[in-house]
């Protein structure tokens, strides 16, 4: 169990009479994550992730990693530096590259601080040739830093110059199996977003500089979103406005022609593409067919902004003054607050707290329990801070624990409060833990990776 007195947690304290000058528009998530000591701004558009944020980020990355492995993807790590000559071969270096970082080493060789790795992973497979049709499909993903020289970094982790991303690259033998893979990965994305329990919308999207033939985005709807989306309440169709005829987007649905359409703003948290041979052809990434002849691999790529996803979830769920977390991402499930040092109930309450913590260790994952042992502070101050941090369950072991029949206070994130005996509190926490475990283990049934050119399209 973690003790708060040992946690590096530099909360931003603003004096009561201080005049705060807003030099930029900030979002709810940016303000809360910064003020409450989870992140700190470093340089414009870059952020330092402190221990509490790192806990949340790890949980998010673990969920993403689990979904990727469930669809047969294997994790790799590619260099952050990508030779610009690869982007020259794919044609992307000749496009708009104003948002990308280009650097040179001491020998004059030019590299990109990679915003994405299509060229790099395709070149890797090209260097491994020959690849047999029997080895397909190949699904490779990584989770790590990406870089984009944003003109106007905004809203903290939602639009930053350096961010954490999961990028998956798939390689199939033909368009049918590539589409089969595409549907599988999109199912995995939907399972992930359902696990996180934050309302999301999947929309048709433009392929943009990535290229390809099919693309979808996943969005959290929020006022601070920078993407304009159109949704149809009649048939459920949704699309990024970039894909729709400007003259008709606010009048008729592109699918059912209904006028029951709405314009909303979203924060993009995931993006999927069928790339065809846009990268495999110029970079000569091929496989050998049954007849021994080479054929271009058919690619897909799939991204999830892990750091953006965390911030966007806070943006949607939090109140103006208190953090709120998806159940599976909360930095701690339970926060325990004991009696104040020197209080008349300290001795009896401390005994109850010790017994309670010992029993709790067999119920909850100890890494998800935080003990606020700063007994020099009042219970009220610590309770207020715990509520602002959004811990799902707060346990207060104070004056009522010194009663003939000890009682402790349970405070739920929903606002519900109850006084219960320790055993009942343990049972309620066990119930929460079991529900969380069930949510974590929820899976969609994916069909097996296709190995035949006669693969069914899901």
């Amino acid at each position: 169990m973690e003790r708060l007195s040992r946690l590096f947690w530099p909360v931003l304290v603003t004096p009561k009479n201080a005049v705060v000058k807003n030099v930029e528009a900030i979002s709810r998530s940016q303000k809360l994550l910064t003020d409450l000591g989870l992140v700190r701004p470093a340089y414009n558009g870059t952020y330092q992730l402190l221990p509490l944020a790192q806990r949340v980020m790890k949980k998010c990355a673990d969920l993403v990693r689990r979904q990727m492995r469930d669809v047969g993807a294997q994790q790799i790590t590619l260099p952050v530096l990508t030779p610009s000559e690869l982007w020259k071969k794919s044609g992307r270096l000749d496009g708009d590259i104003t948002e990308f970082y280009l650097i040179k080493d001491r020998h004059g060789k030019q590299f990109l601080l990679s915003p994405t790795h299509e060229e790099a992973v395709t070149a890797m497979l090209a260097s491994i040739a020959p690849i047999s049709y029997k080895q397909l499909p190949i699904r490779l993903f990584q989770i790590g830093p990406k870089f984009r020289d944003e003109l106007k970094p905004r809203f903290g982790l939602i639009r930053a110059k350096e961010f954490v991303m999961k990028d998956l690259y798939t390689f199939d033998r033909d368009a049918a199996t590539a589409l089969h893979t595409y549907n599988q990965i999109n199912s995995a994305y939907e399972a992930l977003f359902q696990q996180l329990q934050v309302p999301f919308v999947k929309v048709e999207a433009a392929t943009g500089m990535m290229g390809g033939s099919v693309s979808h985005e996943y969005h959290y709807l929020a006022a601070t979103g920078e993407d304009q989306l159109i949704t149809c309440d009649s048939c459920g169709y949704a699309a990024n406005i970039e894909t729709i005829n400007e003259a008709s987007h606010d009048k008729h649905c592109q699918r059912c022609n209904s006028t029951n359409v709405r314009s909303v703003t979203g924060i993009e948290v995931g993006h999927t593409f069928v790339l065809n041979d846009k990268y495999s052809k110029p970079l000569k990434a091929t496989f050998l067919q049954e007849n021994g002849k080479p054929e271009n691999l058919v690619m897909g790529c799939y991204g999830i902004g892990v750091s953006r996803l965390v911030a966007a979830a806070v943006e949607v769920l939090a109140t103006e003054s208190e953090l709120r977390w998806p159940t599976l991402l909360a930095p701690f499930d339970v926060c325990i607050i004991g009696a104040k040092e020197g209080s008349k109930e300290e001795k009896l309450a401390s005994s109850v707290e010790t017994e309670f913590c010992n029993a709790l260790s067999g119920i909850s994952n100890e890494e998800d329990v935080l003990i606020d042992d700063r007994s020099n502070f009042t219970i009220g101050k610590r309770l207020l801070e715990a509520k602002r941090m959004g811990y799902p369950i707060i346990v207060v072991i104070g004056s009522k624990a010194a009663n003939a029949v000890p009682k402790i206070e349970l405070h739920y994130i929903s606002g519900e409060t109850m006084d219960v005996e320790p055993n009942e509190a343990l049972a309620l926490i066990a119930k929460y833990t079991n529900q969380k475990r069930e949510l974590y283990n929820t899976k969609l049934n994916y069909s097996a990776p296709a190995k035949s050119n006669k693969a069914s399209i899901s």
Side-chain angles (χ1 to χ4, degrees):
M1 297 181 181
E2 185 78 54
R3 293 188 174 271
L4 189 50
S5 63
R6 301 299 304 158
L7 187 69
F8 182 61
W9 181 40
V11 177
L12 180 63
V13 178
T14 304
K16 289 184 178 180
N17 298 324
V19 177
V20 180
K21 296 181 180 180
N22 288 324
V23 296
E24 63 170 335
I26 64 174
S27 64
R28 178 183 302 171
S29 60
Q30 181 180 2
K31 177 174 173 51
L32 288 172
L33 292 174
T34 304
D35 289 356
L36 296 179
L38 283 85
V39 305
R40 289 182 69 83
Y43 177 72
N44 182 32
T46 64
Y47 288 84
Q48 300 154 347
L49 302 183
L50 302 180
L52 283 169
Q54 193 62 49
R55 289 180 63 87
V56 178
M57 205 72 68
K58 181 181 183 302
K59 291 185 177 187
C60 187
D62 286 346
L63 285 176
V64 172
R65 185 178 295 109
R66 193 161 176 258
Q67 291 292 351
M68 292 300 94
R69 288 176 176 168
D70 281 349
V71 290
Q74 301 172 72
Q75 188 165 2
I76 61 173
T77 299
L78 296 170
V80 168
L81 295 174
T82 298
S84 62
E85 63 192 42
L86 295 181
W87 279 55
K88 184 70 174 177
K89 288 181 180 180
S90 71
R92 286 208 289 181
L93 200 64
D94 299 325
D96 183 4
I97 57 171
T98 54
E99 289 188 345
F100 302 144
Y101 290 99
L102 291 169
I103 62 174
K104 290 183 178 181
D105 67 10
R106 68 182 67 192
H107 306 294
K109 186 175 179 62
Q110 190 178 61
F111 297 86
L112 287 95
L113 283 179
S114 298
T116 183
H117 276 88
E118 283 76 17
E119 285 85 355
V121 71
T122 308
M124 180 183 75
L125 286 194
S127 71
I128 297 172
I131 293 173
S132 168
Y133 70 93
K134 295 179 180 179
Q135 296 173 262
L136 303 178
I138 295 174
R139 301 173 179 181
L140 305 172
F141 79 98
Q142 57 180 352
I143 298 176
K146 296 288 187 293
F147 303 87
R148 191 179 293 270
D149 189 10
E150 296 282 358
L151 178 62
K152 294 182 178 180
R154 301 180 68 195
F155 306 142
L157 298 179
I158 290 177
R159 184 167 291 282
K161 292 191 173 187
E162 180 178 348
F163 48 95
V164 178
M165 180 177 170
K166 185 282 303 178
D167 44 325
L168 164 70
Y169 306 96
T170 63
F171 300 85
D172 287 277
R173 61 179 299 155
D174 54 31
T177 51
L179 186 56
H180 181 92
T181 290
Y182 187 78
N183 289 329
Q184 280 191 308
I185 306 305
N186 274 271
S187 292
Y189 272 36
E190 289 166 26
L192 170 70
F193 292 124
Q194 288 166 9
Q195 275 188 315
L196 293 174
Q197 299 179 308
V198 180
F200 71 95
V201 59
K202 176 183 177 182
V203 305
E204 289 187 5
T207 55
M209 69 166 292
M210 299 292 288
S213 57
V214 182
S215 180
H216 288 88
E217 296 169 345
Y218 292 82
H219 286 264
Y220 285 166
L221 300 184
T224 52
E226 297 184 290
D227 283 278
Q228 293 294 320
L229 315 175
I230 298 298
T231 63
C232 176
D233 293 333
S234 296
C235 70
Y237 174 78
N240 192 306
I241 199 172
E242 295 175 343
T243 68
I244 297 176
N245 186 320
E246 287 287 341
S248 62
H249 76 266
D250 60 345
K251 298 178 181 179
H252 297 90
C253 172
Q254 302 291 295
R255 177 185 292 169
C256 71
N257 207 37
S258 167
T259 57
N260 196 15
V261 295
R262 292 182 295 125
S263 177
V264 294
T265 56
I267 302 172
E268 180 192 324
V269 290
H271 207 156
T272 61
F273 298 85
V274 173
L275 299 172
N276 301 319
D277 62 358
K278 174 178 171 60
Y279 299 91
S280 57
K281 184 176 181 179
L283 293 169
K284 298 179 169 47
T286 62
F287 72 99
L288 297 181
Q289 304 175 82
E290 291 94 325
N291 59 13
K293 293 183 178 180
E295 182 63 46
N296 293 327
L297 289 162
V298 181
M299 283 184 65
C301 70
Y302 310 81
I304 289 179
V306 177
S307 50
R308 179 186 285 188
L309 179 59
V310 168
V314 170
E315 190 71 24
V316 173
L317 299 178
T319 70
E320 289 297 328
S321 60
E322 296 180 353
L323 289 167
R324 292 289 185 272
W325 303 101
T327 298
L328 297 177
L329 297 189
F332 293 97
D333 293 338
V334 181
C335 178
I336 298 173
I337 299 174
K340 187 180 188 301
E341 180 182 348
S343 63
K344 61 182 180 180
E345 68 270 7
E346 180 185 10
K347 184 175 181 180
L348 290 174
S350 295
S351 177
V352 173
E353 180 182 348
T354 299
E355 290 183 12
F356 185 84
C357 289
N358 288 338
L360 185 61
S361 64
I363 294 173
S364 293
N365 183 346
E366 290 194 14
E367 292 186 356
D368 285 324
V369 178
L370 176 67
I371 300 176
D372 190 342
D373 58 341
R374 302 171 302 159
S375 57
N376 55 309
F377 293 140
T378 66
I379 286 178
K381 175 178 173 59
R382 287 178 283 164
L383 177 60
L384 180 63
E385 288 184 351
K387 286 183 175 180
R388 292 199 72 194
M389 295 302 297
Y391 302 126
I393 301 176
I394 305 169
V395 178
V396 175
I397 305 177
S399 60
K400 297 171 186 176
N403 295 345
V405 178
K407 293 286 186 73
I408 63 179
E409 298 175 25
L410 282 188
H411 297 259
Y412 286 92
I413 194 65
S414 63
E416 182 183 4
T417 303
M418 58 181 70
D419 295 338
V420 295
E421 294 181 21
N423 285 339
E424 186 178 355
L426 290 168
L428 290 169
I429 293 174
K431 180 180 178 181
Y432 174 86
T433 301
N434 289 334
Q435 290 173 340
K436 178 186 173 184
R437 186 176 296 116
E438 289 175 3
L439 178 61
Y440 177 79
N441 289 324
T442 300
K443 294 183 182 180
L444 292 182
N445 292 320
Y446 306 119
S447 55
K451 290 182 177 295
S452 168
N453 60 352
K454 296 181 179 179
S456 60
I457 307 298
S458 60

